[in-house]
Amino acid sequence: MSSNRTQQALAKLADLTPRQIAAELDRYIVGQAEAKKAVAIALRNRWRRQRAPESIREEISPNNIILIGPTGVGKTEIARRLAKLAGAPFIKVEASKFTEVGYVGRDVESMVRDLVESAIDMVRVERESEVEELAHDKVDERLLDLLLPPPVAAPVATEKADAGTPKPNAEPDDALSVFLVAPSGAVTKEKSDPAQDRYQRTRDKLKQLLLDGKLEDREVEIEVTPQASPMFDMLASQGGNEGMDNISDMLKEMMPKRKKKRTVKVSEARRILFEQELEKLIDLEDVTADALERVEKLGIIFLDEIDKIAGERSQHGGPDVSREGVQRDLLPIVEGSNVQTKYGMVKTDHVLFIAAGAFHVSKPSDLIPELQGRFPIRVELKALTEQDFIRIMTEPENALTKQYAALVEADGAKLDFKEDGIGEIARIAALVNERMENIGARRLHTVMMTLLEDVLFDLPDRGHDTITVDATTVKDRLKAIMEDEDLGKNIP
């Protein structure tokens, strides 16, 4: 079953040509056509590999890529949007974290375990969406049982009656006989229980009130399972490896699952019961099997700051030794190896690795030759210009101007960005990037927040008028900042 679902996920790629993938990325990311082209080909090749003859399929390696460029030009966003487009498990890892104090080589494998956790969450959400409607129906029935418990059935007479005592065969007082005539003329006798009928009518009325949301403040008593002691989570986190995770899980399973009763409102009970019903309806073994298969066939690991572990080897020890050690620990995972997780073994042979780094001080050739060979595709992303900033603020579906307009609209006002206002914001952002450290498009966030800080603060008290942002407004509000030589004091 899990195999079929993974094949369905791969089949989605059949409808996405490299040109269509690049076009989808254009909806959120401005420019960087070469990088989009490279990742689009890498994604399409995953589908192509599945269509290749089985004899050569396992020999086809993924198109691992190094994205080279300064911060804030879209490297992470390209990888994240690519994974979302493909419905692939995705994890971002800072390569520099493996050079921290206390680093051990086994920690590098944690990226694969994190990817598996991401896949488990992804598949579980999919399964929940499939059974959501059924779970809601079951929750409604359980709530009705709590609000109106079923009537207790009358005791049934036993065969073992006392000697001399006549066997009760009289009908209950509240039971009526109903005669049904079949088309053939046969007559059957059935009993009708008025108490049961009254209960069903009351239940139907109560259900309608429940569906109309008129019983949300009523209190009911439900059974809940208390969360496991945080001691187990502390044990796993302090252990820092897969072995301690497994021990923690085993201890949780061994502990008796005691339940306790809580009195809560219907609105809260609905949430708790919904989670309980989902647990019953979802097959965790199937979720795990599907997640592991998706990791192996569709998984994407984004290795950021890979330039921080590159550099010439030090002759006198120091951090460079650790950097090369990290590269050598990364090598088997990128090449393809088996990594033990608490859900089972995972092969990384066909996981797509996208590395990224600014490479200001070092260059890709400073990586060890073996690791270089595992990233055959290198794409250089261009620094963003003033014109790019204008496009970033207007073209993408999640453009910054659209985000701030939505925030202002929440308070009932309207934010109107004029063309010359956007141009002035872009000019200032580009100027600040030139004078200070270039942080790319992230500079737009700091400039925009500085520009609208007072507006957002006073917004609830100023009414529902329209706030116009034109070139004059931008210059007036950022005049003091632009005249200050030490821009770092005002714009981060």
Side-chain angles (χ1 to χ4, degrees):
M1 185 175 180
S2 63
S3 179
N4 291 336
R5 290 181 180 272
T6 305
Q7 291 301 324
Q8 290 173 8
L10 284 165
K12 293 179 182 177
L13 300 180
D15 299 327
L16 289 172
T17 65
R19 196 177 300 279
Q20 289 172 327
I21 294 169
E24 285 292 321
L25 294 176
D26 284 338
R27 294 172 55 194
Y28 301 97
I29 303 156
V30 168
Q32 314 302 356
E34 291 184 10
K36 292 173 183 175
K37 185 176 181 180
V39 297
I41 293 172
L43 187 59
R44 181 68 175 184
N45 279 354
R46 295 195 138 182
W47 175 78
R48 290 168 175 156
R49 189 181 78 85
Q50 295 300 315
R51 305 280 292 182
E54 192 170 347
S55 59
I56 198 171
R57 187 181 304 164
E58 292 300 318
E59 305 298 326
I60 300 175
S61 301
N63 294 43
N64 295 334
I65 304 167
I66 293 183
L67 301 178
I68 305 166
T71 184
V73 296
K75 301 187 296 294
T76 304
E77 191 66 12
I78 286 175
R80 182 178 287 113
R81 292 290 175 183
L82 184 75
K84 191 172 183 179
L85 181 63
F90 174 83
I91 193 74
K92 177 187 175 184
V93 182
E94 306 288 340
S96 56
K97 84 171 187 176
F98 299 123
T99 63
E100 295 173 357
V101 176
Y103 155 79
V104 289
R106 189 186 178 100
D107 284 347
V108 175
E109 295 183 351
S110 65
M111 70 174 75
V112 180
R113 293 193 282 271
D114 290 342
L115 185 64
V116 171
E117 293 288 352
S118 174
I120 293 282
D121 291 341
M122 173 187 291
V123 176
R124 186 179 178 86
V125 169
E126 290 179 6
R127 297 292 193 278
E128 288 178 355
S129 65
E130 293 174 1
V131 298
E132 186 175 3
E133 188 174 345
L134 178 58
H136 280 303
D137 291 341
K138 288 181 175 291
V139 168
D140 289 340
E141 293 301 319
R142 287 183 64 180
L143 285 173
L144 288 172
D145 289 339
L146 294 170
L147 291 165
L148 184 68
V152 179
V156 180
T158 60
E159 294 291 337
K160 295 181 179 179
D162 293 335
T165 303
K167 185 177 179 180
N169 54 8
E171 303 281 344
D173 292 340
D174 59 348
L176 301 178
S177 297
V178 178
F179 295 91
L180 302 178
V181 181
S184 61
V187 178
T188 58
K189 179 181 177 182
E190 290 190 359
K191 295 178 183 178
S192 174
D193 189 349
Q196 181 65 31
D197 292 341
R198 285 196 301 271
Y199 168 77
Q200 190 59 47
R201 288 195 298 269
T202 306
R203 185 182 177 93
D204 292 341
K205 292 177 182 178
L206 203 62
K207 183 173 184 178
Q208 191 57 50
L209 291 173
L210 185 67
L211 296 177
D212 293 340
K214 296 179 180 179
L215 303 177
E216 297 300 294
D217 292 332
R218 289 273 294 272
E219 290 188 341
V220 292
E221 189 178 63
I222 62 173
E223 281 191 343
V224 296
T225 304
Q227 291 186 348
S229 170
M231 173 187 68
F232 299 119
D233 296 326
M234 290 175 59
L235 181 65
S237 62
Q238 290 175 359
N241 58 44
E242 184 63 23
M244 298 307 295
D245 286 343
N246 290 334
I247 292 175
S248 175
D249 290 339
M250 288 173 59
L251 289 174
K252 287 180 182 178
E253 291 295 327
M254 292 171 60
M255 293 292 289
K257 291 181 173 59
R258 293 178 296 178
K259 292 187 176 183
K260 67 176 184 179
K261 292 187 176 182
R262 283 179 57 194
T263 300
V264 296
K265 291 185 177 180
V266 167
S267 55
E268 175 68 8
R270 188 188 302 278
R271 182 187 64 80
I272 296 171
L273 295 176
F274 182 68
E275 292 177 359
Q276 292 178 1
E277 290 301 324
L278 287 179
E279 289 288 339
K280 296 176 184 177
L281 292 170
I282 295 175
D283 185 350
L284 292 181
E285 290 186 2
D286 179 58
V287 168
T288 301
D290 192 3
L292 293 179
E293 191 170 10
R294 289 201 197 185
V295 165
E296 293 181 348
K297 294 184 177 180
L298 290 169
I300 298 176
I301 294 180
F302 182 72
L303 273 171
D304 202 8
E305 295 186 352
I306 196 170
D307 55 318
K308 299 295 193 301
I309 62 171
E312 296 181 1
R313 282 173 252 183
S314 173
Q315 300 297 323
H316 48 77
D320 289 329
V321 174
S322 178
R323 291 175 188 172
E324 184 174 330
V326 173
Q327 293 182 58
R328 295 200 177 279
D329 288 326
L330 281 172
L331 185 60
I333 298 177
V334 179
E335 281 183 333
S337 60
N338 293 328
V339 176
Q340 180 63 46
T341 75
K342 64 182 180 181
Y343 300 102
M345 196 73 72
V346 174
K347 292 176 63 177
T348 64
D349 299 63
H350 298 288
V351 173
L352 177 63
F353 289 86
I354 301 178
F359 288 98
H360 289 313
V361 179
S362 58
K363 50 188 182 293
S365 58
D366 290 330
L367 295 167
I368 60 174
E370 298 91 336
L371 193 59
Q372 288 184 54
R374 289 298 168 180
F375 288 92
I377 302 169
R378 299 172 190 177
V379 183
E380 188 165 353
L381 284 76
K382 299 178 176 63
L384 299 174
T385 64
E386 181 180 328
Q387 191 60 36
D388 289 329
F389 286 161
I390 294 175
R391 293 181 60 197
I392 287 172
M393 286 192 290
T394 55
E395 293 181 12
E397 293 189 8
N398 61 339
L400 209 55
T401 51
K402 298 174 184 177
Q403 293 180 28
Y404 274 97
L407 292 174
V408 170
E409 191 175 346
D411 271 311
K414 185 178 180 182
L415 188 60
D416 183 19
F417 285 93
K418 299 298 182 184
E419 188 175 338
D420 58 345
I422 292 174
E424 186 64 19
I425 294 171
R427 187 186 71 81
I428 293 174
L431 180 61
V432 176
N433 272 347
E434 286 179 12
R435 294 188 185 181
M436 298 173 58
E437 186 174 351
N438 187 350
I439 60 171
R442 293 187 179 92
R443 184 69 67 189
L444 290 172
H445 285 270
T446 56
V447 173
M448 191 81 81
M449 189 61 205
T450 306
L451 171 67
L452 298 174
E453 187 175 26
D454 291 337
V455 172
L456 294 172
F457 185 82
D458 298 328
L459 195 57
D461 306 317
R462 63 180 296 163
H464 298 170
D465 56 339
T466 299
I467 302 160
T468 303
V469 179
D470 54 17
T472 304
T473 305
V474 176
K475 289 177 182 177
D476 289 345
R477 292 186 178 168
L478 300 180
K479 181 179 179 182
I481 293 173
M482 295 310 299
E483 290 177 351
D484 191 343
E485 289 296 327
D486 189 6
L487 294 173
K489 292 181 180 179
N490 299 289
I491 299 184

